[in-house]
Amino acid sequence: MNDGKEIRIRDYLTVLLRRRSVIALCCVILTLTFAFYGIIAGVDRMIGTSHENGFTSFIYYTMLSNALAALSAAFIFPYAVEGIRKKRFTMPKWVAVIHYVATTTIAVTMVVVFAFISWASPDDAFGGSNLATHVICPLLILMSFFQMESGYLFSWKDRLLGMIPLSVYMIVYFIEVVVIGESRGGWPDIYHIMEFVSPALAIPAALLLAFGVSTAAALVSNRLTKIRNKKMFLYWRGEPDPIEVRIEAFGIGRMAAQSTEKTTYRSPMTS
């Protein structure tokens, strides 16, 4: 690989990695801002309307999904800052998986809002702070998820993990609403599910929705990752050796970072 071509490849990837970090940080900050705004507004609204403990508002799936979105954004924040500082955005797989699960969870909220709630009650769907929790936060986390290029291909196991939050919520909701009942201290049927459909239909439908959203997010992310990898490979003539690509990518990050670390890197090709 000649010097001119090597510089061109490294310049391209350095700019790419810097862009990833900037997008990640912007989305993280905005997600945290709107999620906290929506959660605080929801708690305050619960206190003002029912004079109950504000944390009762967390029986709503929307509040829980936005809390999970904020948590995933908080996990990503230090890696995004470090990526801008060193021009090399990376994060552990467990952080990427948490981000994926949070994305799936809050995306379900947005799908339900647009498919059902917006038709029955537009004000409940988009009025006041609901616009932040139902639309803005889901869009922000979807944007960050699809733009940050985590580099991981999400498996079928990951897709099942993406269904866990909604599945757990459904179990708790069923126990509180159906098994215990509001009259005996359980939750009220806040989504009026029992008025329109039996649990025997509602539960499979919700699971199918969660699986569909989880699968769609994984497929889009995996497709984008493959496209980006393909674009990167175009910078090599002929058939690039995967080991060479990994070595070069690692070297690009170290060169761009200009880190003060004095670590010696030994190529696996010479070990």
Side-chain angles (χ1 to χ4, degrees):
M1 186 177 293
N2 59 61
D3 293 340
K5 187 174 182 182
E6 183 175 350
I7 292 173
R8 179 164 60 90
I9 295 171
R10 294 190 173 188
D11 286 345
Y12 164 74
L13 289 178
T14 297
V15 171
L16 174 65
L17 296 175
R18 184 188 298 116
R19 187 197 71 191
R20 288 167 55 185
S21 300
V22 171
I23 292 175
L25 186 59
C26 291
C27 288
V28 162
I29 292 174
L30 289 173
T31 298
L32 285 169
T33 301
F34 283 102
F36 276 117
Y37 161 70
I39 291 172
I40 293 172
V43 170
D44 183 67
R45 184 168 56 249
M46 179 64 69
I47 295 174
T49 56
S50 63
H51 304 289
E52 295 182 4
N53 187 328
F55 290 101
T56 305
S57 60
F58 281 93
I59 68 174
Y60 287 89
Y61 180 80
T62 296
M63 296 286 282
L64 296 172
S65 64
N66 275 266
L68 182 59
L71 178 64
S72 71
F75 278 127
I76 295 169
F77 184 85
Y79 297 102
V81 172
E82 190 73 357
I84 293 175
R85 189 174 73 85
K86 290 188 175 181
K87 304 179 182 65
R88 185 182 63 189
F89 179 77
T90 58
M91 59 182 175
K93 185 175 181 180
W94 67 269
V95 176
V97 171
I98 289 177
H99 191 204
Y100 166 69
V101 171
T103 299
T104 300
T105 303
I106 201 169
V108 168
T109 298
M110 187 171 66
V111 169
V112 171
V113 166
F114 278 99
F116 303 104
I117 300 178
S118 62
W119 298 95
S121 178
D123 186 60
D124 287 337
F126 311 119
S129 61
N130 288 339
L131 181 65
T133 56
H134 288 166
V135 180
I136 297 177
C137 279
L139 288 178
L140 283 171
I141 198 169
L142 281 167
M143 183 185 302
S144 65
F145 180 68
F146 292 135
Q147 289 295 321
M148 281 195 303
E149 308 172 34
S150 67
Y152 301 114
L153 296 177
F154 294 97
S155 65
W156 285 102
K157 179 182 177 181
D158 295 324
R159 299 175 198 185
L160 294 177
L161 289 176
M163 299 172 59
I164 290 178
L166 180 60
S167 300
V168 171
Y169 180 80
M170 283 193 311
I171 293 172
V172 175
Y173 191 89
F174 177 80
I175 293 173
E176 290 286 343
V177 174
V178 179
V179 178
I180 299 177
E182 184 178 5
S183 61
R184 290 178 290 179
W187 293 355
D189 187 10
I190 53 178
Y191 294 112
H192 307 286
I193 294 176
M194 302 302 296
E195 298 176 15
F196 302 104
V197 63
S198 70
L201 293 177
I203 292 175
L207 288 174
L208 184 61
L209 173 62
F211 180 74
V213 173
S214 179
T215 298
L219 289 176
V220 173
S221 177
N222 291 350
R223 177 61 177 168
L224 290 174
T225 297
K226 291 176 182 178
I227 291 174
R228 288 160 186 152
N229 288 341
K230 185 177 180 179
K231 286 183 178 179
M232 185 176 70
F233 284 137
L234 290 177
Y235 280 80
W236 276 269
R237 290 190 181 95
E239 294 294 329
D241 179 44
I243 296 179
E244 179 187 359
V245 172
R246 290 178 180 272
I247 295 172
E248 286 298 321
F250 183 81
I252 291 163
R254 295 192 62 81
M255 181 195 72
Q258 296 180 349
S259 174
T260 57
E261 298 174 359
K262 302 301 182 182
T263 305
T264 300
Y265 174 70
R266 175 179 293 180
S267 169
M269 296 293 290
T270 59
S271 58

